[in-house]
Amino acid sequence: MANRIATGLLGTALAAALAAGSALAQEKRNMELVGYNDLQGRSAYQPVIHKQGGRWIAYVGHHGDNLLNPLTGRKEDNGTSFLDVTDPRKPVYLAHIPGEPGLAEAGGAQMARVCDGATLPRADKGKIYLLRTFGNRSQEVWDVTDPAKPGLLTMVATGLKGTHKNWRECDTGTAYLVSGIEGWRVRRMTQVYDLADPAKPVFIRNFGLPGQQPGASGTPPVELHGMISTGAKGNRIYFGYGTNKDGVLQIVDREKLLNGPKEPTDENLLYPQVGRLDLPPTNGAHTTLPLLRMPIAEFAKDAVGAVRDFVMIVDEQILNECREARQLVWFADVTAEPKPFNVSNFNVPEASGNFCSRGGRFGAHSSNENQPPMYAKRLVFVAWFNAGVRAIDIRDPYHPREAGYYIPAMTAKTDKRCVKMPDGAERCKRAIQTNNLEVDDRGYIYIVDRANTGMHILQLTGSARKIADFR
């Protein structure tokens, strides 16, 4: 593939990784490596980057495993990693708090959200709070004011049978938790809590699609994956259901969700819904990112429609080596909320890197959720598993185009991914599996790897950087 280069020595952490046996090539266009940390070889899910005083801290959730923590000298169940990324060229690993025992999706602590006490309405103003999942079992709040010495504050919800991609409003304290509770007919639905005082969680309600609630009949709709709220000001929550099939985008009136009738009848569950878009049976809805009030240059002289609302829907590829329908990025016009419709999509051509034969998953997974001013309404970043991270120019959502990409080099810790052959034998290949990502308010891009390769910190270069607004 074009633009293959020798990996430079970018700080002591990266040099150590190379000495440990990393591959000597990375693939890139208009993106470059700034810094690296191997995350102790732990499979990573969600990174969250938070400014704490004069420091920038990365909180990284992990899939389940049990590995050595060199800071303690003990093996620990994968949980949450804490890194100081104030100097992105030299990230410093600060701490690890264990998660639920188990492997892959059966353990760990995949999800993390962080809020300042100074922002939360009834919190200690000098504290920093981490909301995280504990495997599939519970939701927790930790005091991470000193990220090198985190302490458990309280349990929000326990006895669960599933968790995943939570959302938290730091200005109101409202938290939307992906949970699985007894009686509900799916593994993942929504529990809403008031965490304005993180030490004293207040339950608000349970929520899901009609047919998922206790007592319903027939085949239940596909389970929840996650949601994104625009808060009290925007008064909308965008729910994504399904991962790689039967996807649903649900647009919900936040005020009606929080203050409407809470008994989970079909009527009450539909009450806050203002729009719904059903995807094809072969595609899911992992991430539903609102792109609102987008100016469309082509329509600037039109009497109607020059500014429109969109939701970017990112599917999740599940099976290795292209053994299912390709999962893409879709752009839905939601200007008329009761009648959302798809207007375009984005895909990485398989032939551009022979990705189906590389091993592991090839397809979309997740996008950044933070939209700082330099990127808002201009660029988004999407994890594409063995095709790395892709930068997408969204200035015209009707015609999204690739602005750049970065595929990390494999290291000695990069794990293999297997498929079963017709004769029952397994074929395994080591492969990059860029899983989730985030951007910080400085513009750095943080990508983490599902196959144990670690965290890469990137920045834009060339024509992609010119699309961004770094004034």
Side-chain angles (χ1 to χ4, degrees):
M1 198 170 180
N3 300 305
R4 196 174 290 267
I5 69 166
T7 303
L9 298 179
L10 300 176
T12 56
L14 182 55
L18 289 169
S22 70
L24 296 179
Q26 56 190 331
E27 300 163 76
K28 67 177 188 176
R29 181 170 72 86
N30 291 332
M31 300 178 79
E32 68 179 12
L33 183 63
V34 176
Y36 170 80
N37 188 277
D38 70 359
L39 299 179
Q40 299 182 346
R42 302 180 191 273
S43 172
Y45 184 73
Q46 182 65 43
V48 172
I49 317 303
H50 190 72
K51 188 177 183 183
Q52 298 185 201
R55 305 168 73 191
W56 293 83
I57 306 299
Y59 298 87
V60 182
H62 295 288
H63 299 287
D65 206 340
N66 184 271
L67 298 171
L68 176 69
N69 179 358
L71 297 180
T72 64
R74 299 187 301 270
K75 293 184 73 174
E76 298 173 355
D77 293 311
N78 283 10
T80 311
S81 291
F82 301 67
L83 296 94
D84 188 325
V85 293
T86 307
D87 180 354
R89 290 162 181 79
K90 298 180 180 180
V92 178
Y93 199 102
L94 300 174
H96 172 261
I97 50 176
E100 182 181 25
L103 298 177
E105 300 282 347
Q110 295 182 37
M111 197 60 213
R113 298 292 187 194
V114 182
C115 291
D116 292 333
T119 304
L120 290 164
R122 297 190 299 277
D124 185 324
K125 301 307 178 184
K127 300 287 188 179
I128 311 292
Y129 300 95
L130 164 70
L131 170 68
R132 76 160 193 165
T133 59
F134 183 81
N136 292 298
R137 189 186 305 173
S138 60
Q139 313 273 2
E140 305 175 337
V141 176
W142 286 69
D143 180 342
V144 294
T145 309
D146 181 351
K149 298 178 181 179
L152 180 63
L153 182 65
T154 190
M155 307 292 287
V156 180
T158 60
L160 305 177
K161 58 184 179 182
T163 66
H164 212 49
K165 203 168 174 63
N166 299 331
W167 187 263
R168 189 179 186 185
E169 298 171 2
C170 290
D171 57 344
T172 69
T174 307
Y176 308 90
L177 307 182
V178 181
S179 298
I181 61 175
E182 195 63 38
W184 280 70
R185 305 175 68 228
V186 288
R187 181 180 53 148
R188 296 170 180 165
M189 38 70 72
T190 302
Q191 290 190 292
V192 186
Y193 275 84
D194 179 355
L195 298 182
D197 180 350
K200 299 177 181 178
V202 177
F203 174 73
I204 297 176
R205 71 172 298 174
N206 295 322
F207 182 71
L209 294 176
Q212 295 179 337
Q213 75 273 29
S217 60
T219 302
V222 67
E223 68 185 16
L224 175 70
H225 192 277
M227 70 292 286
I228 295 178
S229 171
T230 62
K233 184 176 180 180
N235 194 38
R236 289 294 182 267
I237 308 170
Y238 299 89
F239 289 84
Y241 297 83
T243 51
N244 64 333
K245 61 183 179 181
D246 299 325
V248 175
L249 162 66
Q250 183 188 37
I251 307 172
V252 165
D253 183 304
R254 176 187 177 277
E255 177 68 20
K256 289 183 176 180
L257 176 71
L258 297 182
N259 299 309
K262 297 177 175 58
E263 182 68 22
T265 64
D266 283 357
E267 181 181 13
N268 291 347
L269 294 176
L270 283 174
Y271 174 69
Q273 178 177 297
V274 295
R276 171 172 169 158
L277 176 65
D278 289 85
L279 276 69
T282 54
N283 295 96
H286 178 286
T287 304
T288 48
L289 181 71
L291 304 170
L292 307 179
R293 309 303 297 162
M294 293 283 292
I296 309 300
E298 173 61 27
F299 304 152
K301 297 180 181 179
D302 292 357
V304 177
V307 178
R308 306 193 67 82
D309 295 333
F310 299 87
V311 173
M312 187 179 80
I313 305 169
V314 186
D315 312 333
E316 178 181 359
Q317 201 78 38
I318 296 293
L319 300 183
N320 295 329
E321 298 190 22
C322 302
R323 297 196 169 200
E324 63 177 332
R326 182 76 52 81
Q327 303 299 309
L328 309 177
V329 174
W330 309 91
F331 291 84
D333 187 320
V334 298
T335 310
E337 290 180 314
K339 297 182 178 181
F341 70 106
N342 186 66
V343 297
S344 64
N345 66 64
F346 173 85
N347 179 47
V348 176
E350 191 278 334
S352 66
N354 297 316
F355 292 110
C356 286
S357 62
R358 288 194 180 198
R361 304 184 191 187
F362 167 60
H365 185 201
S366 66
S367 72
N368 61 295
E369 296 168 345
N370 184 33
Q371 299 180 72
M374 76 284 293
Y375 295 141
K377 303 181 182 182
R378 294 170 176 269
L379 288 163
V380 295
F381 303 89
V382 177
W384 217 271
F385 287 118
N386 70 7
V389 58
R390 318 307 280 204
I392 307 174
D393 180 349
I394 59 165
R395 289 176 295 177
D396 178 3
Y398 293 93
H399 302 92
R401 63 183 184 86
E402 186 166 272
Y405 61 83
Y406 185 90
I407 306 175
M410 287 190 288
T411 74
K413 293 185 177 180
T414 302
D415 197 12
K416 61 186 178 181
R417 292 292 184 263
C418 302
V419 295
K420 187 158 289 189
M421 306 303 292
D423 63 1
E426 280 194 328
R427 181 182 68 208
C428 301
K429 298 178 182 179
R430 295 172 62 242
I432 287 297
Q433 295 285 264
T434 300
N435 204 23
N436 284 49
L437 67 135
E438 190 54 283
V439 303
D440 69 18
D441 290 348
R442 301 174 294 180
Y444 292 112
I445 305 130
Y446 301 76
I447 65 174
V448 298
D449 190 86
R450 192 183 191 97
N452 310 350
T453 312
M455 178 176 72
H456 296 75
I457 306 174
L458 312 171
Q459 65 182 4
L460 290 178
T461 61
S463 59
R465 194 171 184 87
K466 293 179 181 178
I467 295 171
D469 183 6
F470 278 95
R471 289 179 297 176

